[in-house]
Amino acid sequence: MVRLGTGIGWRPEIADDIARLPGIDWVEVVAENICPDHVPDALRLLRERGTTVVPHGVSLGLGGAERPEPGRLRALAERAEALGSPLVTEHIAFVRAGGPLTASPSIEAGHLLPVPRTRDALDVLCENVRIAQDALPVPLAVENIAALISWPGEEMTEGQFLAELVERTGVRLLIDVANLHTNHVNRGEDPAKALDELPTSAIAYVHVAGGVEKDGVWHDSHAHPVTQPVLDVLAELCARTTPPGVLLERDEDFPAAGELAGELDAIRAVTAAGAAGAAEAGMATAGTAAGSAKPVTAAGAAEAVTAAGTGDEAAAPVRASAAADEADKARTGADVPAADAPAADAPAPETPLPDAPLPEAPVPDAVRERLALAQTALLSALVGGTPPPEGFDRRRLRVQSAALTAKRASVIAKVAPELPEILGTGYRPAFARYAEGRPMTGGYRRDALSFAEHLLADGRPDGSAARRRLTLWWQERSGPAPLPSHPAARFARRVRLALSGGR
């Protein structure tokens, strides 16, 4: 298992801060936001300094009823190769539904939605993961997600679901402790029980992130500071194993560099305390036979914090999952970097896993169709205004639906920043009215154009100047022959707009 150390999610808004933060061993990038031929300069400079970069995908939909799209898999593979990454990661989630399996239009969620923990869903997920593993040049790790809603009729706990997934595919795990906390608040699930049930030896790395509680519902916002309950779950994990890497996620409302550094220090302190506790437990077990083993002191804990922050190879190694390593070696034909055998003061040995997953028969079409119908019914209720499926908490569905609309509006505002500028404070209310009953069927750029078309067809916005600006914006980006986009043409159109009374 590759040892990563302490890292942070790389975002353009904090690229300069990340470059200056001490003790950053690695970064994670959203795969879909990176072009392999045009890696941002700030990210390229980090790589030249020896900082590991891991692409983190959000659009494969491995938990969906359809098989992964070959084009999306090729794109993820290209990014792994361009960045020289030791692994890639994705989510245990579905992000779209409908399509051929249901003979209905394909619709996009714009967000990660939970997979039902049923035998049907697990069979489909295992096959989809194996398809992805075969298409990728490096090992794959998959992440547990946060959920606002629970599926009725689930047959397994989260830990059981993840353990069987690893056993059947050899996939590695990206454990998000903030998501475990989210599911504790929203679904009443015990993080400690989940950690007890999952194969900790398969952990590739760990996510830590902040969130906020509103009206009894925890929102995994990635826009708030990391809370103590999340750090407590991290401590629970570190009491069971020393994770190869821990990463801080922040996606919005970025704080000053000093606050990020403080959160990273808090993470390092928790992981160091976990390593020290494991060392004490190892010495207690070994007794006097340990001979040269030294007691853990405050200075030793401080050294552990330093090692965690610098990626020191002397940090206690984690024994890799045999199933994951054997599967990766079989697919790539190369030896997989693994940690050394546990030392006397390392964490206690973890539950061994099978040497390699066994081949499985293809999932029957009927199984995929059942899952597709269930996921389409749920997503249609969330984004299309159709009646809620039986067995779901309707209040939670309303909360999830509102969250999806808000997320969609936020992404559109980033993709097309001119729209909130033109519409001002009326942007979000107008978008909420547009999104009601109008699922996203394409990408966000197409969604932005459709939103503008909807407004213009309805004679909005009310002001003539704003309407002219929106019309020009739409004309520049739509139609079989979009208007010329070179600077001189844009300048001429702005002059004409100004002379006609626009701004």
Side-chain angles (χ1 to χ4, degrees), residues 111-126:
H111 193 60
L112 305 165
L113 293 177
V115 174
R117 296 176 199 148
T118 61
R119 286 288 158 194
D120 276 2
L122 182 58
D123 288 346
V124 170
L125 175 63
C126 286

Side-chain angles (χ1 to χ4, degrees), residues 116-346:
R117 296 176 199 148
T118 61
R119 286 288 158 194
D120 276 2
L122 182 58
D123 288 346
V124 170
L125 175 63
C126 286
E127 185 169 87
N128 288 350
V129 164
R130 287 192 292 269
I131 291 170
Q133 288 171 316
D134 290 342
L136 294 169
V138 293
L140 169 69
V142 290
E143 178 182 356
N144 60 302
I145 72 162
L148 293 173
I149 55 178
S150 298
W151 283 84
E154 291 193 313
E155 300 164 353
M156 286 169 272
T157 65
E158 180 157 42
Q160 292 167 343
F161 194 82
L162 295 176
E164 188 164 335
L165 173 66
V166 170
E167 181 180 2
R168 291 171 59 178
T169 66
V171 75
R172 302 173 188 275
L173 296 177
L174 192 182
I175 295 301
D176 190 315
V177 294
N179 291 348
L180 291 177
H181 172 68
T182 300
N183 294 343
H184 170 63
V185 176
N186 294 345
R187 299 166 59 150
E189 297 173 355
D190 183 3
K193 183 174 186 240
L195 292 172
D196 284 339
E197 292 176 337
L198 63 83
T200 54
S201 58
I203 293 176
Y205 63 89
V206 175
H207 272 175
V208 179
V212 63
E213 187 172 350
K214 294 179 182 177
D215 301 323
V217 176
W218 186 268
H219 296 266
D220 181 45
S221 66
H222 293 193
H224 295 81
V226 176
T227 61
Q228 187 58 48
V230 171
L231 291 176
D232 291 344
V233 179
L234 176 62
E236 286 274 3
L237 185 149
C238 291
R240 292 161 173 79
T241 186
T242 301
V246 183
L247 180 127
L248 172 65
E249 286 189 294
R250 189 73 178 237
D251 293 333
E252 293 184 76
D253 296 336
F254 299 101
E259 186 174 334
L260 291 174
E263 291 194 331
L264 288 165
D265 285 343
I267 289 169
R268 292 187 185 103
V270 171
T271 56
E280 289 179 346
M283 286 188 292
T285 302
T288 56
S292 59
K294 297 179 181 180
V296 177
T297 63
E303 289 175 2
V305 173
T306 303
T310 60
D312 191 341
E313 290 297 325
V318 178
R319 184 172 56 80
S321 158
D325 286 344
E326 288 299 321
D328 293 335
K329 183 175 180 180
R331 289 186 178 90
T332 63
D335 288 330
V336 178
D340 298 330
D345 60 350

